[in-house]
Amino acid sequence: MQDDAKQKFARKLREAMETAGYEAKPSVLEREFNTRHWGKPMTLHGVRRWLLGETMPGPRKLTTLAQWLRVPLEDFVDAGEGAALRATGEPLHKWHAGLGYDDRELFDIYLKLPVPQRRLAREVILAIARAHEAGEAQRKDRDG
């Protein structure tokens, strides 16, 4: 029965990727998954095994796949299992959707800083953002 679940997951994963406009190939899955997942990146061999129905990802990785491909978690697993995954999984935050592993790692580092250093980092980022916006506005005025 477990093999049936793995095969069902693999079929649904391939369908979801194609529906979303991606080729259901390990190299595509590895690249796209790793740019979105907050955690240890998957290897090409690991995602290949997902596509072949040899293994299934854990709850956090299933959640990443569902968010990326914009499908209900239940599409990948049985409805009862999907509800259980939602109940036990980490909270979903819109602010980190679409961030790559490097950016998420940076946020983790930032959150571990003492408050005074966080304020300093925030001020530096805001100053850079304001300078960028000002430059964009000047370019827009000049070009348009």
Side-chain angles (χ1 to χ4, degrees):
M1 185 138 172
Q2 181 65 12
D3 285 341
D4 290 342
K6 291 175 188 174
Q7 289 299 314
K8 176 186 172 192
F9 165 73
R11 181 174 40 80
K12 293 287 190 174
L13 177 59
R14 290 189 303 267
E15 289 172 4
M17 286 180 70
E18 290 169 1
T19 299
Y22 297 94
E23 287 183 274
K25 295 169 61 174
S27 59
V28 173
L29 179 54
E30 177 196 29
R31 179 189 68 234
E32 297 299 325
F33 177 83
N34 286 334
T35 61
R36 292 167 174 82
H37 184 64
W38 185 301
K40 184 178 176 186
M42 285 298 297
T43 64
L44 187 63
H45 179 69
V47 298
R48 180 182 163 279
R49 294 184 72 200
W50 289 352
L51 288 170
L52 293 175
E54 294 175 1
T55 61
M56 281 185 63
R60 290 184 61 222
K61 291 178 179 171
L62 278 171
T63 300
T64 298
L65 289 169
Q67 288 176 333
W68 161 43
L69 297 169
R70 299 175 192 256
V71 297
L73 192 58
E74 289 80 9
D75 279 11
F76 291 133
V77 294
D78 293 333
E81 202 174 331
L85 289 173
R86 278 192 208 284
T88 60
E90 293 185 354
L92 305 177
H93 301 287
K94 285 186 177 184
W95 65 267
H96 70 70
L99 290 180
Y101 182 74
D102 291 341
D103 292 330
R104 291 177 181 173
E105 185 178 43
L106 181 62
F107 281 117
D108 284 341
I109 293 167
Y110 169 81
L111 292 171
K112 290 176 185 173
L113 291 173
V115 172
Q117 282 82 6
R118 274 198 239 167
R119 286 189 190 125
L120 178 61
R122 184 177 185 275
E123 290 303 316
V124 169
I125 292 168
L126 290 172
I128 293 169
R130 285 191 289 269
H132 174 73
E133 288 172 3
E136 289 295 309
Q138 286 177 346
R139 276 188 283 286
K140 188 183 271 187
D141 287 345
R142 185 183 62 229
D143 296 340

